[in-house]
Amino acid sequence: MATQAADFQTLSRRYTADKPFRAFIQKALGGYYKKRDENKANFQDWQGARDLAAETKYEAVNHLDKYLLEFEQKITARGAKVFWAPNAEAAREYILKIAKENGVRSIIKSKTMTSEEIHLNEALEKEGFGVFESDLGEYIVQLRKEAPFHLVFPAMHLTRRQISDLFQKELGSKATDEPEELTMIARDVMRRKYCEADMGISGTNFAVAETGMISITENEGNARLTTSLPRIHVALLGIEKVLPRLEDLSLFLPMLATAGAGQTMTCYNTMYSGPRQPGEPDGPEQMHIVLLDNRRTELLADAEQRDALGCIRCGACLNVCPIFKNVGGYSYGTTYGGPIGSVITPHLRGLKDWKHLSAASSLCGACTEACPVKIDLHHHLLQNRRNGAKASPAVGEKVAFGGFSLMMGHPALYRLAVVFGRIFQPLQGLVNGTILDPLRAWTGSRNFPKLAPKSFHEQWKKERGGRK
Amino acid sequence: MNPGRSIILNRIREALRNNPAPRPHTSHSQADAAAETHGHAQREWLPKVGATLPEQIDLFAKISEGLKTEFHRVPTIDAAHNLLKQLAAAEGWKKIASHSHHDTDSLIQGIDLPVVRTEKGYGIDELESCDAGVTGCEVLVAQTGGVMVSVESAGGRALSVLPPHHVVIARASQMVPDLTAAFEHVKKRYGKNLPSFMSFITGPSRTGDIERILVLGAHGPKRLTVLLID
Ligand code: SF4
């Protein structure tokens, strides 16, 4: 078994067994459901908005080259540099090169899952650059040397007590049970970092082709500071994030806020087109856009699942997923967790090692229903299962079902099997579910149905014996 | 030019060539969808906004309350000035920051505090030590309770986010129904030469990163005050 699949099993077992943890996660999400529903209800027609969002993304993704070129041309005209990175390594090297060429000493970052994807922090730190995550949740997990637990709520798995202990240990602050005080501790630390940093690294939520802009959505204001104060701004941008028109944001910004966190609008939605322009009082001297492919084009080539590139990383599918809610974010072992992660990771990192994630679904379709851009998530999970089975057929299963159909098609064989079953079932019962059990793959988590002492056939014969 | 560009463009074109994706399952026809995305169809689906100014102001006020934006309607710039003085006294401001702009100028005129002005450049630490940032704005957005700022209308990028209290001055004529109208406004005002920074500010800075409990003033302003001159 691939190690990723084994890790998934171990971790998901552990998290699922941890009832207080599960209750904590469910409680944290409880407030979200309520707010999300309230905000959805304010829409005149949420379903109509989803249709339009899906259509807009369809148009953008299916003309990706055109819109990326338009975006590049417009934002370059404003003095930004666009670097096309075919893979993670190219992106990391480019960013390192800029940092070195400009004598950068301190780097501040705002939340970007794309940088997690390319393991940027490790690369920068290895070269001796200090990197500080400024988003509160990201900062907390950075201090714990952990990855984000959730696309949108990176530290939702931690209690205030754990965070207080962490701050005491790492920052020497006083113990407190108040989320507000904890937030202020981080605020004070970060204030100094913003003022000192000479490079700011951000993600991007949307790029606008028409006007050559990137748009960043956030609640805390850390991304605004990251993109205003340092003299260099580097924005990571997955190639799939481009939208055709500025007005498209009128739809996507409220939808992202509603689906993502149950807000009318996220606190700051900021559009940047270029570095500081002549006559402007502040802003970076340089702006670099790192356009990242990193196998997104593999997903693009799969017409059946291409719509998954429309993902706006709102996290709604995670929040409603019965698997995510129970196994949590870390079981997945991927940058992108939950249903969308299970769909795209096989494309981004290989089907062989990641197909098991598509099996971890009840196929209830809650994700598809929640998705603001109508990605057909649960069908994609099924398609991944199909593709996985095609690529590496499960021989044991094939043989088992072949045998089963042979037996069911031949009464004599069936009767023979029943006789054997009666003999072996009591023996199997002695080792049920243990390593000695040959049926362990099934009985490890389920019971094998008991054979009836007398089959229907036998009873029929006995009761109605002579009569025809 | 880096080779990555042609590599990625080729991959994209290769992926899209003769490889049509199924259209999304929507209740629209293709023609509808095309017409809609280019028009103002979003208005049919997004939260409703009244057509008149009083309705829009009321909606803005209602949403502000939920967002914890402190929204005040004042009859004149003098009344706004008095309100600002009260805020300054109540919070014990020692220094404020602002930028040259017709309404901010009259708003802070005669206020008995040192003022850092950002429009010609400023020191980061100097701005960081201010108790409040006083700015104008492009428009107010009724549908979302948002304040749209830009380099031009808010004295640069940082003035409206670094000081702990952000005070915005606006005129009733700056109220627009929705985001689409806000974009129309900036396109009309700046043409192709849009400011390098524009932001929709929707309430004071916030976070829910600790147990999903709302805390105001994460990294940006803890308070957002909007003064609307009727
Ligand atoms: S797949 Fe849909 S619901 Fe999930 S994160 Fe992406 S946009 Fe949100």
Side-chain angles (χ1 to χ4, degrees):
Chain A
M1 191 186 289
T3 55
Q4 280 83 1
D7 288 349
F8 179 79
Q9 287 211 343
T10 317
L11 286 170
S12 55
R13 274 212 186 98
R14 185 185 311 156
Y15 280 108
T16 313
D18 189 344
K19 284 206 181 136
F21 180 78
R22 275 159 58 197
F24 180 75
I25 296 294
Q26 315 249 355
K27 181 165 168 251
L29 288 172
Y32 160 82
Y33 301 136
K34 189 167 156 270
K35 287 265 162 216
R36 178 203 57 186
D37 291 345
E38 280 168 22
N39 270 292
K40 268 193 191 169
N42 280 338
F43 276 66
Q44 293 171 77
D45 185 345
W46 173 255
Q47 297 305 335
R50 289 176 77 215
D51 282 351
L52 191 52
E55 291 283 354
T56 307
K57 278 288 189 178
Y58 177 85
E59 188 201 338
V61 168
N62 283 283
H63 301 91
L64 196 53
D65 50 342
K66 173 180 145 200
Y67 289 120
L68 284 175
L69 287 172
E70 186 182 353
F71 167 77
E72 179 193 38
Q73 188 235 325
K74 295 273 166 60
I75 201 161
T76 307
R78 308 270 307 192
K81 293 216 164 58
V82 176
F83 178 81
W84 301 64
N87 52 40
E89 192 190 353
R92 288 192 303 260
E93 272 174 10
Y94 180 72
I95 296 168
L96 272 170
K97 190 180 97 179
I98 300 168
K100 285 181 188 158
E101 278 176 6
N102 288 284
V104 164
R105 277 153 309 156
S106 171
I107 301 174
I108 189 115
K109 275 181 75 201
S110 62
K111 186 173 164 44
T112 145
M113 289 307 287
T114 315
S115 92
E116 303 285 338
E117 178 188 330
I118 65 170
H119 302 288
L120 183 60
N121 287 9
E122 293 91 321
L124 289 167
E125 279 162 3
K126 220 175 96 195
E127 296 283 329
F129 295 102
V131 187
F132 300 95
E133 292 288 348
S134 58
D135 172 88
L136 177 60
E138 291 283 343
Y139 180 55
I140 292 168
V141 294
Q142 187 190 31
L143 285 180
R144 285 173 61 94
K145 303 192 172 54
E146 277 176 353
F149 182 85
H150 180 291
L151 290 182
V152 180
F153 316 133
M156 71 173 293
H157 59 303
L158 299 171
T159 63
R160 56 185 92 181
R161 175 58 57 78
Q162 284 171 298
I163 295 167
S164 170
D165 290 349
L166 177 74
F167 283 3
Q168 264 181 280
K169 188 171 133 230
E170 299 290 334
L171 308 172
S173 58
K174 283 206 307 275
T176 169
D177 253 353
E178 285 303 318
E180 168 139 26
E181 281 178 29
L182 290 167
T183 305
M184 293 311 136
I185 293 168
R187 177 184 167 110
D188 288 343
V189 172
M190 254 342 125
R191 286 255 142 178
R192 293 271 32 102
K193 305 284 184 212
Y194 292 120
C195 299
E196 289 159 13
D198 26 31
M199 181 189 251
I201 300 178
S202 75
T204 305
N205 293 88
F206 304 100
V208 180
E210 178 197 358
T211 50
M213 279 177 184
I214 60 167
S215 173
I216 301 179
T217 295
E218 50 144 354
N219 272 312
E220 298 183 0
N222 60 313
R224 285 191 57 197
L225 291 164
T226 299
T227 52
S228 299
L229 302 179
R231 63 193 161 87
I232 302 166
H233 173 200
V234 177
L236 285 162
L237 170 61
I239 53 170
E240 79 283 16
K241 294 203 172 162
V242 66
L243 289 173
R245 294 158 294 268
L246 185 57
E247 277 78 6
D248 293 330
L249 292 177
S250 321
L251 180 72
F252 281 97
L253 300 180
M255 288 191 81
L256 173 58
T258 297
Q263 290 177 281
T264 311
M265 273 283 265
T266 318
C267 196
Y268 301 106
N269 284 283
T270 310
M271 289 133 276
Y272 301 94
S273 50
R276 174 208 298 216
Q277 304 293 299
E280 293 182 351
D282 57 4
E285 295 152 18
Q286 300 175 28
M287 181 192 202
H288 300 265
I289 309 280
V290 179
L291 254 184
L292 183 72
D293 176 359
N294 209 23
R295 299 181 65 159
R296 284 164 173 76
T297 40
E298 304 258 324
L299 185 51
L300 189 71
D302 183 346
E304 195 176 47
Q305 296 192 29
R306 187 176 296 157
D307 65 348
L309 283 175
C311 174
I312 58 174
R313 304 277 187 262
C314 69
C317 56
L318 283 65
N319 300 341
V320 299
C321 178
I323 307 298
F324 179 87
K325 282 192 273 182
N326 287 301
V327 308
Y330 289 142
S331 296
Y332 292 85
T334 56
T335 306
Y336 306 103
I340 183 65
S342 302
V343 168
I344 65 175
T345 308
H347 297 268
L348 301 181
R349 294 169 72 177
L351 182 64
K352 193 168 149 285
D353 287 338
W354 300 99
K355 63 174 192 285
H356 61 280
L357 294 179
S358 298
S361 165
S362 66
L363 299 177
C364 65
C367 47
T368 307
E369 191 55 43
C371 178
V373 292
K374 298 191 84 164
I375 298 171
D376 201 0
L377 290 159
H378 69 295
H379 285 111
H380 295 338
L381 293 173
L382 268 175
Q383 290 151 4
N384 282 346
R385 291 185 190 182
R386 178 202 62 203
N387 297 346
K390 244 192 231 154
S392 45
V395 182
E397 201 172 287
K398 266 222 156 98
V399 171
F401 275 101
F404 183 72
S405 73
L406 193 72
M407 173 184 84
M408 296 307 277
H410 297 83
L413 270 183
Y414 179 81
R415 279 194 292 273
L416 194 66
V418 171
V419 172
F420 274 110
R422 293 236 172 80
I423 298 170
F424 286 109
Q425 195 164 44
L427 297 176
Q428 187 269 336
L430 298 174
V431 293
N432 188 33
T434 68
I435 333 179
L436 296 174
D437 185 354
L439 302 177
R440 183 159 187 262
W442 176 271
T443 54
S445 53
R446 314 167 185 84
N447 286 323
F448 200 86
K450 239 191 160 57
L451 287 172
K454 268 207 168 31
S455 73
F456 179 74
H457 244 99
E458 290 161 338
Q459 290 183 43
W460 181 272
K461 249 198 181 141
K462 190 169 159 231
E463 298 283 323
R464 315 249 173 143
R467 282 179 281 157
K468 279 267 145 96
Chain B
M1 196 155 293
N2 76 311
R5 187 171 188 271
S6 54
I7 295 174
I8 296 177
L9 284 170
N10 285 340
R11 284 181 189 164
I12 293 173
R13 289 175 180 146
E14 189 61 36
L16 292 176
R17 188 175 303 138
N18 303 325
N19 202 0
R23 287 196 79 83
H25 305 284
T26 66
S27 44
H28 309 247
S29 75
Q30 285 189 30
D32 282 351
E36 277 174 1
T37 43
H38 292 282
H40 288 157
Q42 300 142 347
R43 286 189 173 142
E44 265 181 62
W45 317 120
L46 290 166
K48 205 164 181 60
V49 186
T52 68
L53 181 61
E55 284 173 294
Q56 291 173 10
I57 295 179
D58 284 349
L59 182 60
F60 187 91
K62 189 179 136 223
I63 297 179
S64 293
E65 210 178 301
L67 291 167
K68 309 225 160 42
T69 300
E70 295 159 54
F71 176 55
H72 303 276
R73 298 176 65 174
V74 286
T76 60
I77 190 91
D78 288 337
H81 175 77
N82 288 337
L83 235 158
L84 188 75
K85 276 214 235 143
Q86 286 170 24
L87 283 174
E91 282 197 311
W93 295 351
K94 298 206 173 50
K95 188 163 77 166
I96 64 171
S98 190
H99 65 116
S100 277
H101 169 273
H102 50 279
D103 279 336
T104 51
D105 285 343
S106 1
L107 182 64
I108 60 174
Q109 195 175 38
I111 201 157
D112 196 13
L113 288 169
V115 180
V116 175
R117 290 184 174 275
T118 58
E119 67 271 5
K120 297 239 154 59
Y122 57 88
I124 293 176
D125 288 315
E126 205 185 358
L127 181 61
E128 208 274 326
S129 62
C130 290
D131 298 300
V134 180
T135 76
C137 64
E138 292 291 344
V139 290
L140 301 180
V141 184
Q143 187 180 54
T144 62
V147 179
M148 187 194 214
V149 296
S150 65
V151 177
E152 180 72 22
S153 58
R157 299 188 183 201
L159 171 58
S160 54
V161 72
L162 199 54
H165 192 155
H166 178 202
V167 181
V168 181
I169 179 91
R171 302 256 169 190
S173 58
Q174 286 173 278
M175 184 67 71
V176 297
D178 52 22
L179 300 176
T180 303
F183 289 131
E184 275 167 4
H185 160 85
V186 289
K187 281 183 174 173
K188 210 163 127 209
R189 179 166 178 195
Y190 299 101
K192 289 218 170 328
N193 211 6
L194 293 168
S196 75
F197 154 89
M198 306 192 293
S199 188
F200 292 106
I201 299 175
T202 311
S205 156
R206 63 197 57 218
T207 185
D209 273 347
I210 300 175
E211 296 191 11
R212 309 287 321 124
I213 292 165
L214 178 71
V215 175
L216 296 182
H219 293 286
K222 293 174 201 183
R223 292 179 71 181
L224 171 66
T225 299
V226 177
L227 306 174
L228 183 75
I229 306 173
D230 271 334

Coordinates of all heavy atoms in Angstrom, one line a residue, chain A residues 260-293:
Chain A
G260 N -17.5 31.3 2.1 CA -16.3 31.1 2.8 C -16.4 31.3 4.3 O -15.9 30.5 5.1
A261 N -17.1 32.3 4.7 CA -17.1 32.6 6.2 C -18.5 33.1 6.6 O -18.6 33.6 7.8 CB -16.0 33.6 6.5
G262 N -19.5 33.0 5.8 CA -20.8 33.5 6.2 C -20.8 35.0 6.4 O -21.5 35.5 7.2
Q263 N -20.1 35.8 5.6 CA -20.0 37.2 5.7 C -20.7 37.8 4.4 O -20.7 37.2 3.4 CB -18.6 37.7 5.8 CG -17.9 37.4 7.0 CD -16.4 37.8 7.0 OE1 -15.6 37.2 6.4 NE2 -16.1 39.0 7.6
T264 N -21.2 39.1 4.6 CA -21.8 39.8 3.4 C -20.6 40.1 2.5 O -20.7 39.9 1.3 CB -22.4 41.1 3.9 OG1 -23.3 40.8 5.0 CG2 -23.2 41.7 2.8
M265 N -19.6 40.7 3.1 CA -18.3 40.9 2.3 C -17.2 40.7 3.3 O -17.4 40.9 4.5 CB -18.2 42.4 1.9 CG -18.9 42.7 0.6 SD -17.9 42.2 -0.9 CE -17.0 43.7 -1.2
T266 N -16.1 40.2 2.8 CA -14.9 40.1 3.7 C -14.5 41.5 4.0 O -14.7 42.4 3.2 CB -13.9 39.2 3.0 OG1 -14.5 38.1 2.3 CG2 -12.8 38.7 3.9
C267 N -13.8 41.7 5.1 CA -13.5 43.0 5.5 C -12.7 43.9 4.5 O -13.1 45.0 4.3 CB -12.7 42.9 6.8 SG -12.7 44.4 7.7
Y268 N -11.7 43.3 3.9 CA -10.9 44.0 2.9 C -10.9 43.2 1.6 O -10.4 42.1 1.6 CB -9.5 44.3 3.4 CG -9.4 45.1 4.7 CD1 -9.1 44.4 5.9 CD2 -9.7 46.4 4.7 CE1 -9.0 45.1 7.1 CE2 -9.6 47.1 5.9 CZ -9.3 46.5 7.1 OH -9.2 47.2 8.2
N269 N -11.3 43.9 0.6 CA -11.2 43.3 -0.8 C -10.4 44.3 -1.6 O -10.9 45.4 -1.9 CB -12.5 43.0 -1.4 CG -13.2 41.8 -0.9 OD1 -12.8 40.7 -1.2 ND2 -14.1 42.0 0.0
T270 N -9.1 44.1 -1.8 CA -8.3 45.1 -2.4 C -7.7 44.7 -3.7 O -7.3 43.6 -4.0 CB -7.1 45.3 -1.4 OG1 -7.6 45.5 -0.1 CG2 -6.3 46.5 -1.8
M271 N -7.8 45.7 -4.6 CA -7.3 45.5 -6.0 C -6.0 46.3 -6.2 O -6.0 47.5 -5.9 CB -8.4 45.9 -7.0 CG -9.6 45.0 -7.0 SD -11.1 46.0 -6.9 CE -11.3 46.2 -5.1
Y272 N -5.0 45.6 -6.7 CA -3.7 46.2 -7.0 C -3.4 46.1 -8.5 O -3.5 45.0 -9.1 CB -2.6 45.5 -6.2 CG -2.8 45.5 -4.7 CD1 -3.4 44.4 -4.1 CD2 -2.4 46.6 -4.0 CE1 -3.6 44.4 -2.7 CE2 -2.6 46.6 -2.6 CZ -3.2 45.5 -2.0 OH -3.4 45.5 -0.6
S273 N -3.0 47.2 -9.1 CA -2.6 47.1 -10.5 C -1.2 47.8 -10.5 O -1.1 49.0 -10.7 CB -3.5 47.7 -11.4 OG -3.9 49.0 -11.0
G274 N -0.2 47.0 -10.3 CA 1.2 47.5 -10.4 C 1.7 48.0 -9.0 O 1.0 48.1 -8.0
P275 N 3.0 48.4 -9.0 CA 3.6 49.0 -7.9 C 3.2 50.4 -7.8 O 2.4 50.9 -8.5 CB 5.1 48.8 -8.2 CG 5.2 48.9 -9.7 CD 3.9 48.2 -10.2
R276 N 3.8 51.1 -6.8 CA 3.5 52.6 -6.7 C 3.7 53.3 -8.0 O 4.7 53.1 -8.7 CB 4.5 53.1 -5.7 CG 4.4 54.6 -5.5 CD 5.8 55.2 -5.1 NE 6.1 54.7 -3.8 CZ 6.8 55.4 -2.8 NH1 7.1 56.6 -3.1 NH2 7.1 54.8 -1.7
Q277 N 2.7 54.1 -8.4 CA 2.8 54.8 -9.7 C 3.3 56.2 -9.4 O 3.3 56.7 -8.3 CB 1.4 54.9 -10.3 CG 0.7 53.5 -10.5 CD 1.4 52.7 -11.6 OE1 1.5 53.1 -12.7 NE2 1.9 51.5 -11.2
P278 N 3.8 56.8 -10.5 CA 4.4 58.2 -10.3 C 3.4 59.1 -9.6 O 2.2 59.1 -10.0 CB 4.7 58.7 -11.7 CG 4.7 57.4 -12.5 CD 3.9 56.4 -11.9
G279 N 3.8 59.8 -8.6 CA 2.9 60.7 -7.9 C 2.1 60.1 -6.8 O 1.5 60.8 -6.0
E280 N 2.2 58.8 -6.6 CA 1.5 58.1 -5.5 C 2.4 58.2 -4.3 O 3.7 58.0 -4.4 CB 1.1 56.7 -5.9 CG 0.1 56.6 -6.9 CD -0.4 55.2 -7.3 OE1 0.2 54.2 -6.8 OE2 -1.4 55.1 -8.0
P281 N 1.8 58.3 -3.1 CA 2.7 58.5 -1.9 C 3.3 57.3 -1.3 O 4.4 57.4 -0.6 CB 1.7 59.1 -0.9 CG 0.4 58.6 -1.3 CD 0.4 58.5 -2.8
D282 N 2.8 56.1 -1.5 CA 3.4 54.9 -0.9 C 3.1 53.7 -1.8 O 2.6 53.8 -2.9 CB 2.9 54.7 0.5 CG 1.3 54.6 0.6 OD1 0.7 54.6 -0.5 OD2 0.8 54.5 1.7
G283 N 3.5 52.6 -1.3 CA 3.4 51.3 -2.1 C 4.8 50.9 -2.5 O 5.7 51.7 -2.4
P284 N 4.9 49.6 -2.9 CA 6.2 49.1 -3.2 C 6.8 49.7 -4.5 O 6.1 50.1 -5.3 CB 5.9 47.6 -3.4 CG 4.5 47.5 -3.8 CD 3.8 48.7 -3.1
E285 N 8.1 49.6 -4.5 CA 8.8 50.1 -5.7 C 8.7 49.0 -6.8 O 8.7 49.3 -8.0 CB 10.3 50.3 -5.5 CG 10.6 51.5 -4.5 CD 11.9 51.2 -3.7 OE1 12.7 50.4 -4.2 OE2 12.0 51.9 -2.7
Q286 N 8.7 47.8 -6.4 CA 8.6 46.7 -7.4 C 7.4 45.8 -7.0 O 7.1 45.5 -5.9 CB 9.8 45.8 -7.3 CG 11.2 46.4 -7.5 CD 12.3 45.5 -7.3 OE1 12.2 44.2 -7.4 NE2 13.5 46.0 -6.9
M287 N 6.8 45.3 -8.1 CA 5.7 44.3 -7.9 C 6.0 43.2 -8.9 O 6.2 43.4 -10.1 CB 4.3 44.9 -8.2 CG 3.2 43.9 -8.0 SD 1.7 44.6 -8.7 CE 0.4 43.6 -7.8
H288 N 6.0 42.0 -8.3 CA 6.3 40.8 -9.1 C 5.1 39.8 -9.0 O 4.6 39.6 -7.9 CB 7.5 40.0 -8.6 CG 8.8 40.9 -8.7 ND1 9.6 40.8 -9.8 CD2 9.3 41.8 -7.8 CE1 10.6 41.7 -9.6 NE2 10.5 42.3 -8.4
I289 N 4.6 39.4 -10.1 CA 3.6 38.4 -10.1 C 4.2 37.1 -10.6 O 4.8 37.0 -11.6 CB 2.5 38.8 -11.2 CG1 2.0 40.2 -11.1 CG2 1.3 37.7 -11.2 CD1 1.0 40.4 -10.0
V290 N 4.0 36.1 -9.7 CA 4.5 34.7 -10.1 C 3.3 33.9 -10.5 O 2.5 33.5 -9.6 CB 5.3 34.1 -8.9 CG1 5.8 32.7 -9.3 CG2 6.5 35.0 -8.5
L291 N 3.2 33.7 -11.8 CA 2.1 32.9 -12.3 C 2.5 31.4 -12.3 O 3.4 31.0 -12.9 CB 1.9 33.3 -13.8 CG 0.8 34.2 -14.2 CD1 0.8 34.3 -15.7 CD2 -0.5 33.7 -13.7
L292 N 1.8 30.7 -11.5 CA 2.2 29.3 -11.3 C 1.3 28.3 -12.0 O 0.1 28.3 -11.8 CB 2.1 29.0 -9.7 CG 2.6 27.6 -9.3 CD1 4.1 27.5 -9.5 CD2 2.1 27.4 -7.9
D293 N 1.9 27.4 -12.7 CA 1.2 26.3 -13.3 C 1.2 25.1 -12.3 O 0.3 24.8 -11.7 CB 1.8 25.9 -14.7 CG 1.2 24.7 -15.3 OD1 0.3 24.1 -14.7 OD2 1.6 24.3 -16.4

